[in-house]
Amino acid sequence: MKRLTIIAALAMAAMGINAQKPMTAPQGGKAISDELIGIFFEDISSAADGGLYAELVQNGSFEFNTTERDEWGPGTAWKFLRPGHSLGYIRPFMDKPLHKNNPTYMRIHIERAKEFYDYKGWKGVGLQNSGFGGISVKAGEQYDFSAFFRNAYRQDDKDIRIALVAPQEPGKDPKVLDDTLINVNAIDWERYPVVLTPSEDCKNAALQILVLTKGDIDIDEVSLMPKDTYKGHGLRKDLAQALADLQPKFMRFPGGCVVHGGGDGFWDTYRWKNTIGPRQNRLGLKNTWGYHQSMALGYFEYFQFCEDLGMEPLPILPCGVSCQGTNGGWGMWPTQAQDVVPMDQMDEWVQDALDLIDWANGDGTGEWSRKRIEAGHPAPFNLKYLGLGNEEKISPEFIERFKYMYERITKAHPEIVIVGTAGPGSHPDNPDFENGWKLAEELGMPIIDEHYYEPNTFFLNKRQYDNYPRDRKTKVYLGEYASKDKKLIDALAEGLYLLHVERNGDAVTMTSYAPLFARRDNTNWNPDMIYFDNERTYLTCSYYVQQMFGQSSGQYYYGDCVKFEGDAPDVIQPQENVHYGQSVVLNVKTRKLFVKLCNASAEAKTANIDLSRFKGIKKQATKTVLSGQANDENNYDQQPITPQKETFKATKKMTIELKPYSFVMLEYAL
């Protein structure tokens, strides 16, 4: 029996599970949420296609169109090829498509390709795609190509050359990184997969599809994916790992203003049912931020990623009211136009929510949970939270529709924790904020979502959660916030503010910085936590502050273990208008203790730490320091601000000197 216990403990350790029993918290602590730090994913600044989703082909479904951008069409991101005196043309078609949600495909007509006076060079008629500013490939790594083909008019088989090529020099054939020949004999849509393995690294490769046989062939849903994705689930490894390293406790998705869209009418509102199932069956849409969403990164992938990272999923559903800010609506404040679904049509939106709960949590007896099981996930996703609406103006029309959905969902599923909204600007002088809180208290809503983006002076000086009533049933989710720049002082201001949030972790239950991702050459919003290009990520100062808070979650807060020299004995930091502070958090599950110290001022500070109440502190502890000059910034050329770690001999009492503009985290094992 003893041997089995040891084996079990070793197995748990290998999986990263602490085998020790949770400890009892010493007296003097305040119970707080241990889900304070999460992430908020929205497809803004090309965060999905060309970002977290690992697909390397752009517009592989030929569905880009002028509704999205005036200059766009089915051929966007594609180049027509007919090398070596080949002849032919391409033309978009919509007759008998692959799927009704994917109506456009490309027909390739070949008049002459394979033979021309024994021409031996590069030849064929077809297409080239360079992805999102070039396709980055690595030597020896495998890439999964696939496309749906169909011979038009029941013609002869077609030989097709699939190639990864390096940039072509003028007057020369392209340098082949890898290629293969396939024979297409299908007279109805059929998927043809091949694996390509480039012979060398190339940052700006292109995919070529060249038909070598005379006739006509249809092509749709072209894909090129790295075989090596995060846990094999189709996400770009470095971007997914950057999120995993934050140790987030939940993920809110798919937005943001992406949720309720509606800038062109409710036809382009994000509907989760159109984002599951086979990729070729999903309905791509115009994105609120001005580009195309393929929905290849959809609800199944979001939930799967939450499972991979051990995060609680927090999906946000529209509730029959459009974003008042689309198409210039923000300029109409405070009388923005809101489009609304007629009340006699609201049952459809309620049913979407009920079906989502079945899809995520059902046992297969319901229609939608059967779809999840058929997609390869027999176990439920264990959905706990569900958000309704995203920072809508709290108008009478919104209130009526929100209540309608809230009451029916909670009646059918009282176990689901509903997250509401406090409107587009969570400040007391904003009538939406006041109306949102009135609605929350009237309904007894469990959680309300507050949003604000402010200069760093706001986060340095405000401590409003100290004054929130503790008898409220409704807790706060700070779902979108950030200082309006990405310098070190902005990150420290956010860190100081999060110390205040931790102190009020009985009133605030969750937070998530926003936005999360931004592609370097297609940024809709600044600042963002993580910038990226095809090759690498660029982690901001704010990223590292968020990371330290994610690493130091716990269930108990202690405010009297640290005293700054010069403060009165009864002062507990962080104070309003004081630019330094501290927080001590205990995680009884992992048996770890965290001391966080922030100095966002220009003067050094001395902190005296007394951890005498905590028994069993191990001899070795870890110190992480983030420091620099106030206006230092991580950018594409250099990353001067990164955490510096060291181990030290742990003592229950110690004095620590805080440099100007620094954040320090001490981690103790118990």
Side-chain angles (χ1 to χ4, degrees):
M1 184 71 180
K2 188 173 182 180
R3 181 173 176 269
L4 289 174
T5 303
I6 294 171
I7 292 172
L10 289 172
M12 293 175 73
M15 293 185 289
I17 301 173
N18 193 320
Q20 299 185 73
K21 293 181 179 179
M23 62 180 290
T24 301
Q27 291 185 347
K30 176 199 288 188
I32 64 171
S33 168
D34 60 1
E35 295 180 341
L36 276 177
I37 304 299
I39 55 176
F40 160 44
F41 183 91
E42 179 172 13
D43 189 359
I44 182 174
S45 301
S46 296
D49 297 325
L52 183 61
Y53 193 66
E55 175 62 63
L56 297 172
V57 170
Q58 185 175 186
N59 192 23
S61 61
F62 306 102
E63 296 298 334
F64 283 31
N65 61 77
T66 54
T67 302
E68 297 161 332
R69 291 186 182 177
D70 290 343
E71 69 274 19
W72 276 9
T76 297
W78 291 96
K79 179 181 178 182
F80 174 57
L81 299 179
R82 54 181 191 90
H85 308 289
S86 302
L87 295 176
Y89 60 82
I90 60 172
R91 183 177 295 167
F93 273 75
M94 300 180 75
D95 181 43
K96 297 181 181 179
L98 182 58
H99 190 272
K100 65 179 181 179
N101 288 339
N102 183 9
T104 309
Y105 58 90
M106 198 67 73
R107 177 161 294 173
I108 305 173
H109 171 76
I110 309 94
E111 289 189 16
R112 181 174 66 206
K114 201 168 186 178
E115 297 178 359
F116 179 67
Y117 301 117
D118 296 323
Y119 180 75
K120 302 299 184 184
W122 199 256
K123 52 196 171 186
V125 177
L127 295 161
Q128 174 175 300
N129 193 291
S130 297
F132 300 86
I135 295 175
S136 178
V137 296
K138 302 293 182 183
E141 294 191 4
Q142 294 184 320
Y143 296 83
D144 289 323
F145 166 87
S146 67
F148 284 82
F149 291 101
R150 175 179 65 184
N151 278 298
Y153 315 124
R154 297 180 178 269
Q155 297 167 336
D156 295 337
D157 298 0
K158 303 291 188 302
D159 289 330
I160 303 177
R161 188 176 190 179
I162 312 298
L164 273 174
V165 300
Q168 187 172 352
E169 297 181 26
K172 294 184 178 181
D173 288 340
K175 181 177 182 179
V176 178
L177 303 173
D178 192 22
D179 69 336
T180 190
L181 194 68
I182 63 173
N183 180 266
V184 174
N185 57 12
I187 59 174
D188 202 355
W189 288 113
E190 186 173 327
R191 181 175 178 269
Y192 286 78
V194 299
V195 176
L196 298 171
T197 307
S199 56
E200 60 184 73
D201 292 356
C202 185
K203 294 183 179 180
N204 54 350
L207 173 70
Q208 292 192 349
I209 304 166
L210 289 167
V211 186
L212 305 177
T213 308
K214 185 176 179 178
D216 294 83
I217 192 166
D218 298 331
I219 180 173
D220 201 0
E221 203 60 41
V222 183
S223 174
L224 183 70
M225 291 279 285
K227 190 174 285 290
D228 187 18
T229 61
Y230 190 77
K231 298 196 175 183
H233 290 155
L235 302 186
R236 183 173 144 178
K237 286 186 72 174
D238 60 335
L239 297 185
Q241 188 61 53
L243 299 184
D245 291 343
L246 290 168
Q247 297 186 25
K249 305 305 179 286
F250 66 90
M251 183 172 80
R252 170 186 166 209
F253 58 88
C257 290
V258 164
V259 168
H260 44 204
D264 297 298
F266 282 105
W267 65 266
D268 80 333
T269 299
Y270 195 106
R271 308 299 289 269
W272 73 268
K273 291 177 179 178
N274 292 328
T275 76
I276 62 170
R279 177 171 153 175
Q280 66 271 15
N281 296 356
R282 300 184 185 187
L283 179 63
L285 282 179
K286 177 184 178 181
N287 182 285
T288 298
W289 302 105
Y291 55 88
H292 183 84
Q293 289 176 279
S294 73
M295 301 302 182
L297 178 58
Y299 260 55
F300 185 90
E301 290 75 22
Y302 286 132
F303 272 82
Q304 190 172 60
F305 188 49
C306 288
E307 188 174 69
D308 287 343
L309 265 61
M311 304 181 289
E312 294 285 354
L314 175 48
I316 309 295
L317 295 183
C319 52
V321 179
S322 74
C323 177
Q324 65 274 6
T326 52
N327 287 341
W330 291 115
M332 301 168 64
W333 179 271
T335 58
Q336 300 103 322
Q338 257 182 339
D339 292 321
V340 297
V341 171
M343 284 303 300
D344 61 6
Q345 297 176 22
M346 281 301 298
D347 285 344
E348 174 190 340
W349 301 72
V350 173
Q351 195 61 48
D352 270 0
L354 299 179
D355 290 343
L356 175 61
I357 296 168
D358 176 50
W359 179 82
N361 292 352
D363 60 4
T365 56
E367 173 189 358
W368 291 94
S369 56
R370 284 198 298 273
K371 291 180 184 294
R372 184 202 72 235
I373 294 169
E374 291 165 1
H377 200 285
F381 282 116
N382 299 316
L383 176 67
K384 173 182 175 182
Y385 297 110
L386 177 63
L388 296 180
N390 168 73
E391 64 174 39
E392 289 88 353
K393 181 174 176 59
I394 313 299
S395 63
E397 294 82 4
F398 171 81
I399 292 172
E400 183 180 19
R401 285 153 183 79
F402 184 93
K403 281 184 176 180
Y404 192 85
M405 291 190 69
Y406 181 89
E407 290 167 357
R408 283 154 182 76
I409 296 168
T410 53
K411 182 179 180 179
H413 290 282
E415 78 282 4
I416 296 296
V417 179
I418 299 295
V419 179
T421 175
S426 300
H427 299 291
D429 60 346
N430 186 331
D432 292 316
F433 177 72
E434 181 180 352
N435 292 335
W437 267 104
K438 283 182 180 178
L439 178 61
E441 292 177 338
E442 175 189 342
L443 295 174
M445 194 186 303
I447 302 174
I448 192 169
D449 183 3
E450 297 186 350
H451 294 181
Y452 40 89
Y453 299 93
E454 299 291 341
N456 60 47
T457 51
F458 173 90
F459 296 101
L460 288 169
N461 296 319
K462 292 292 184 180
R463 305 289 177 262
Q464 76 272 22
Y465 295 125
D466 288 342
N467 302 316
Y468 272 40
R470 266 30 187 195
D471 58 353
R472 279 175 169 167
K473 180 179 179 180
T474 305
K475 304 298 183 183
V476 176
Y477 166 35
L478 179 50
E480 291 186 36
Y481 76 97
S483 179
K484 289 186 174 181
D485 207 342
K486 50 184 179 290
K487 296 179 171 56
L488 176 59
I489 187 59
D490 297 285
L492 294 176
E494 293 156 358
L496 192 62
Y497 194 75
L498 283 174
L499 295 179
H500 154 67
V501 167
E502 278 189 331
R503 184 169 72 203
N504 292 282
D506 54 338
V508 182
T509 190
M510 306 160 109
T511 70
S512 51
Y513 181 104
L516 185 61
F517 282 127
R519 187 176 173 87
R520 180 177 181 175
D521 57 2
N522 190 22
T523 299
N524 297 103
W525 187 283
N526 272 301
D528 304 274
M529 192 195 298
I530 302 168
Y531 294 81
F532 64 90
D533 58 23
N534 288 343
E535 293 287 310
R536 53 170 291 190
T537 59
Y538 303 85
L539 306 177
T540 62
C541 301
S542 292
Y543 172 89
Y544 291 118
V545 167
Q546 291 289 324
Q547 184 182 60
M548 283 192 275
F549 276 90
Q551 293 169 344
S552 59
S553 66
Q555 300 80 31
Y556 292 91
Y557 168 88
Y558 295 83
D560 58 351
C561 297
V562 179
K563 298 295 181 184
F564 288 94
E565 290 188 3
D567 283 353
D570 60 342
V571 167
I572 296 178
Q573 300 290 353
Q575 285 183 298
E576 196 165 273
N577 299 314
V578 175
H579 299 168
Y580 57 93
Q582 57 84 23
S583 175
V584 176
V585 171
L586 173 66
N587 192 316
V588 297
K589 298 176 183 178
T590 62
R591 303 179 71 93
K592 287 188 176 181
L593 181 67
F594 301 93
V595 178
K596 293 188 284 287
L597 309 164
C598 181
N599 183 12
S601 74
E603 297 179 355
K605 298 294 176 184
T606 301
N608 296 311
I609 301 170
D610 186 349
L611 305 177
S612 299
R613 73 185 67 184
F614 301 100
K615 308 302 181 184
I617 292 179
K618 304 299 190 237
K619 293 181 180 180
Q620 291 289 327
T622 303
K623 177 181 180 182
T624 305
V625 179
L626 195 73
S627 65
Q629 300 301 311
N631 291 321
D632 284 348
E633 180 179 333
N634 290 343
N635 54 44
Y636 299 113
D637 300 318
Q638 54 184 346
Q639 301 264 298
I641 307 299
T642 57
Q644 304 300 310
K645 285 193 174 186
E646 62 180 65
T647 57
F648 66 96
K649 183 178 180 181
T651 58
K652 291 191 174 182
K653 292 185 179 182
M654 66 180 296
T655 297
I656 187 168
E657 300 294 330
L658 291 179
K659 296 178 182 179
Y661 306 116
S662 64
F663 194 100
V664 175
M665 182 175 75
L666 309 177
E667 178 182 336
Y668 301 85
L670 300 174

